[in-house]
C-alpha cells in the first residue's frame, strides 16, 4: 500500500462520482427539488428547486472504489464490510428521510425519534461488534500520549457517542454550496494518509474512495450548486467517516481534523440552549454558524473557502500529531 494506491483510488471514485452526479441531476431535478428555509439567508431562496439526494452518487462511487481496491490489493475483509455497513446504513436513513421530504413532499420527513432511533441501532451494532470481535477490542488509542487505554464497559457508549456526534455534525455542516463535500474531502484525505502511516488498508481504501467521491460531487456542488447531497449524503459521510476512524483507532483525531464539524454542531447546541434559557435571546444571528457569517455580510463562497482553509490547517496539525 502506497501513496500511488491512494491516488488511484481517489481517481477511480472521482470519475465514477462525476459521471453518476451528471446523470442524476436531470432525474432528481424532476422529482427531488430542495425546499429552502424561509428564515434563512435571503440569498438562499434562489436555490429552491435545486435537486437534492445527490449523495447517492457519492455513496455508489465510494463503495465501488473501496471494493475494487480491496479486490486488487487485499486488506481486512471484516473491517471493510463493517465500515461499508455503517456507511450504507446511515445513507439509507438519510435517503428515506429525503424521500419523504423532497419526493413525497412530507416536510417533516422521518420523525426525530425515528431518525435518531435508527442511528442508535446502527451505532450500537458497530460498537458491540468492535468490542467483541475486532483485533483491538475495547482499547482506544490516545494519539498525543501514544498509548492505548482500555475503556472496558465504557467502550460501547463511547463509540455510540462518537458515531452519533460525527454523523449529525456533518449533517449540520451541509448548509452551503460545497461546504460539507469540500471539508469531508479534506478530512478523508487526512485519514487516508493516517491509515497509510499506520498500515491499515481497509480504512485507507475507504477514506480515499470517499475523498474521490466528494471531489467528483464537488464539481457540481460548488457555488452555484447544481445539486445538493441531502441527508442521503451527509448522514452517510458522517457515519462512514466515524466508522473508518474508529476501525483505524484514530477516533480521537476526529475532533481535531474535523474541528469545523464540531464548531458547527456546538453553535447549534449553544444557540438552542441559550434561546431556551433566556426565553428568546440568541448568541448567533443564525445557526449553524456558517449562516451566522452570512447574516454578518460575508458572501457564501467566501465562508466556504475560509472553512476549507481552516480544515487544511486542522489536518496539518493532525499530521503533526501522527
Amino acid at each position: 500500500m502506497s501513496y500511488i494506491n491512494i491516488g488511484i483510488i481517489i481517481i477511480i471514485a472521482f470519475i465514477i462520482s462525476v459521471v453518476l452526479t451528471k446523470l442524476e441531476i436531470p432525474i432528481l431535478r424532476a422529482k427531488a427539488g430542495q425546499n429552502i428555509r424561509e428564515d434563512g439567508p435571503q440569498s438562499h431562496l434562489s436555490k429552491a428547486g435545486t435537486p437534492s439526494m445527490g449523495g447517492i452518487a457519492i455513496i455508489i462511487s465510494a463503495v465501488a472504489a473501496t471494493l475494487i481496491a480491496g479486490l486488487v490489493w487485499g486488506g481486512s475483509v471484516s473491517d471493510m464490510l463493517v465500515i461499508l455497513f455503517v456507511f450504507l446504513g446511515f445513507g439509507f436513513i438519510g435517503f428515506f428521510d429525503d424521500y419523504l421530504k423532497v419526493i413525497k413532499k412530507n416536510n417533516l420527513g422521518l420523525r426525530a425519534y425515528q431518525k435518531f432511533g435508527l442511528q442508535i441501532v446502527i451505532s450500537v451494532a458497530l460498537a458491540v461488534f468492535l468490542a467483541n470481535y475486532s483485533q483491538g477490542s475495547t482499547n482506544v488509542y490516545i494519539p498525543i500520549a501514544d498509548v492505548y487505554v482500555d475503556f472496558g464497559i465504557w467502550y460501547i457508549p463511547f463509540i455510540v457517542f462518537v458515531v452519533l456526534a460525527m454523523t449529525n455534525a456533518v449533517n449540520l455542516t451541509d448548509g452551503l454550496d460545497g461546504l460539507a463535500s469540500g471539508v469531508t474531502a479534506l478530512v478523508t484525505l487526512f485519514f487516508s494518509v493516517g491509515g497509510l502511516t499506520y498500515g491499515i488498508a481497509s480504512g485507507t481504501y475507504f477514506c480515499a474512495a470517499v475523498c474521490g467521491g466528494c471531489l467528483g460531487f464537488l464539481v457540481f456542488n460548488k457555488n452555484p450548486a447544481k445539486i445538493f447531497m441531502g441527508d442521503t449524503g451527509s448522514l452517510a459521510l458522517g457515519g462512514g467517516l466515524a466508522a473508518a476512524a474508529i476501525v483505524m483507532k484514530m477516533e480521537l483525531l476526529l475532533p481535531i481534523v474535523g474541528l469545523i464539524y464540531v464548531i458547527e454542531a456546538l453553535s447549534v447546541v449553544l444557540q438552542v440552549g441559550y434561546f431556551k434559557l433566556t426565553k428568546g435571546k440568541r448568541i448567533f444571528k443564525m445557526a449553524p454558524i456558517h449562516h451566522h457569517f452570512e447574516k454578518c455580510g460575508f458572501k457564501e463562497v467566501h465562508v466556504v473557502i475560509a472553512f476549507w482553509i481552516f480544515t487544511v490547517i486542522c489536518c496539518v496539525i493532525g499530521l503533526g500529531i501522527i
Side-chain angles (χ1 to χ4, degrees):
M1 188 169 57
S2 67
Y3 288 113
I4 294 176
N5 299 134
I6 291 176
I8 292 172
I9 297 168
I10 291 174
I11 291 171
I12 291 172
F14 175 83
I15 294 172
I16 296 173
S17 182
V18 167
V19 173
L20 290 180
T21 304
K22 188 173 181 62
L23 290 174
E24 70 182 358
I25 287 176
I27 298 172
L28 293 174
R29 182 181 290 121
K31 297 183 178 181
Q34 179 69 42
N35 296 319
I36 303 297
R37 290 172 59 178
E38 293 183 359
D39 62 338
Q42 292 300 303
S43 60
H44 286 216
L45 296 178
S46 61
K47 300 181 182 184
T50 302
S52 186
M53 301 175 72
I56 295 171
I58 300 176
I59 293 172
I60 294 175
S61 62
V63 171
T66 301
L67 293 176
I68 290 171
L71 289 172
V72 175
W73 295 305
S76 172
V77 175
S78 61
D79 284 352
M80 188 180 298
L81 292 178
V82 165
I83 294 170
L84 292 179
F85 166 76
V86 177
F87 183 56
L88 291 170
F90 277 95
F92 174 78
I93 296 172
F95 174 83
F96 193 49
D97 190 42
D98 283 338
Y99 177 80
L100 292 175
K101 287 189 290 188
V102 300
I103 295 181
K104 289 298 185 180
K105 306 303 179 184
N106 178 350
N107 291 332
L108 293 176
L110 286 173
R111 303 282 182 173
Y113 73 89
Q114 295 172 325
K115 197 172 184 179
F116 200 63
L118 289 170
Q119 292 179 18
I120 290 175
V121 170
I122 296 175
S123 302
V124 170
L126 171 68
V128 171
F129 177 84
L130 293 178
N132 292 280
Y133 301 105
S134 71
Q135 188 175 12
S137 62
T138 57
N139 289 327
V140 175
Y141 181 64
I142 313 298
I144 298 176
D146 194 27
V147 296
Y148 285 90
V149 176
D150 188 351
F151 274 39
I153 61 172
W154 297 105
Y155 182 78
I156 290 177
F158 169 71
I159 294 302
V160 171
F161 171 77
V162 170
V163 176
L164 293 178
M166 182 54 54
T167 301
N168 289 285
V170 175
N171 182 240
L172 290 170
T173 304
D174 183 33
L176 301 180
D177 294 351
L179 180 55
S181 52
V183 169
T184 304
L186 292 167
V187 173
T188 48
L189 179 60
F190 163 82
F191 278 103
S192 300
V193 175
L196 181 63
T197 301
Y198 292 129
I200 309 168
S202 297
T204 302
Y205 298 158
F206 174 78
C207 288
V210 170
C211 178
C214 285
L215 290 175
F217 183 75
L218 188 58
V219 171
F220 303 94
N221 182 235
K222 67 181 186 299
N223 186 271
K226 297 180 178 65
I227 189 169
F228 300 138
M229 69 173 67
D231 282 5
T232 304
S234 61
L235 292 184
L237 290 176
L241 176 58
I246 292 166
V247 167
M248 294 191 291
K249 295 297 181 183
M250 298 171 69
E251 57 266 61
L252 291 183
L253 286 171
L254 277 171
I256 297 173
V257 298
L259 185 56
I260 280 294
Y261 301 138
V262 177
I263 293 172
E264 294 274 26
L266 281 177
S267 70
V268 173
V269 173
L270 291 172
Q271 183 87 323
V272 173
Y274 190 75
F275 184 85
K276 290 183 177 180
L277 287 173
T278 60
K279 298 181 180 179
K281 293 183 180 179
R282 292 175 171 84
I283 299 175
F284 307 105
K285 292 185 177 181
M286 188 176 178
I289 198 168
H290 54 254
H291 288 319
H292 169 78
F293 288 115
E294 282 191 289
K295 290 279 192 178
C296 289
F298 292 93
K299 291 184 179 179
E300 178 178 358
V301 66
H302 294 163
V303 176
V304 172
I305 292 173
F307 280 30
W308 288 352
I309 293 172
F310 183 80
T311 300
V312 169
I313 294 171
C314 292
C315 289
V316 170
I317 293 172
L319 287 174
I321 292 174
I322 67 174

